[in-house]
Amino acid sequence: MRFDGRASRSEFWFWALWWAIGNIVTNLIDTVIGGSDSNVVGGLWALATLVGFIALTVRRLHDVNFSGLLALLFIIPPIGVLFAIVIGCIPSVREGARFDQPNRG
């Protein structure tokens, strides 16, 4: 996972689409395995994708020329969801190139 560089709007939204599809599938599996109270597979899915989502969010924030520390807003659930939608809709700005590190492989 890389926390430097930038992520475009399309990268952000395609990842969100695949995460939502994975979430639906894991919820279906949980329902089949243990009924409506089970959340084992969904919990594992959430843990497996957490760091990737944070890295993507930090890179998206860099693309719109904000500090990656703003990703901490996801700690507050209602604000975090709205924040994700907003940063996913903001167009890229040229000034975000300051976060690129071309010398890093």
Side-chain angles (χ1 to χ4, degrees), residues 1-38:
M1 297 294 135
R2 292 189 68 161
F3 288 84
D4 63 326
R6 298 182 288 166
S8 65
R9 278 191 290 184
S10 62
E11 181 180 356
F12 183 82
W13 286 114
F14 276 113
W15 190 92
L17 172 68
W18 285 111
W19 180 84
I21 291 170
N23 201 29
I24 291 168
V25 170
T26 57
N27 285 334
L28 289 172
I29 292 170
D30 278 334
T31 302
V32 169
I33 290 174
S36 62
D37 293 335
S38 177

Side-chain angles (χ1 to χ4, degrees), residues 53-54 57-58 61 66-84 86-87:
F53 177 69
I54 294 170
T57 302
V58 168
L61 284 166
F66 289 129
S67 170
L69 290 174
L70 285 175
L72 293 174
L73 289 176
F74 288 108
I75 295 172
I76 308 165
I79 294 173
V81 172
L82 292 173
F83 183 67
V86 169
I87 66 161

Side-chain angles (χ1 to χ4, degrees), residues 78-99:
I79 294 173
V81 172
L82 292 173
F83 183 67
I85 292 170
V86 169
I87 66 161
C89 293
I90 297 174
S92 301
V93 294
R94 189 175 319 131
E95 292 82 12
R98 69 185 174 110
F99 293 102

Side-chain angles (χ1 to χ4, degrees), residues 1-2 4-5 100-105:
M1 297 294 135
R2 292 189 68 161
D4 63 326
D100 289 342
Q101 294 182 1
N103 58 348
R104 188 160 175 224

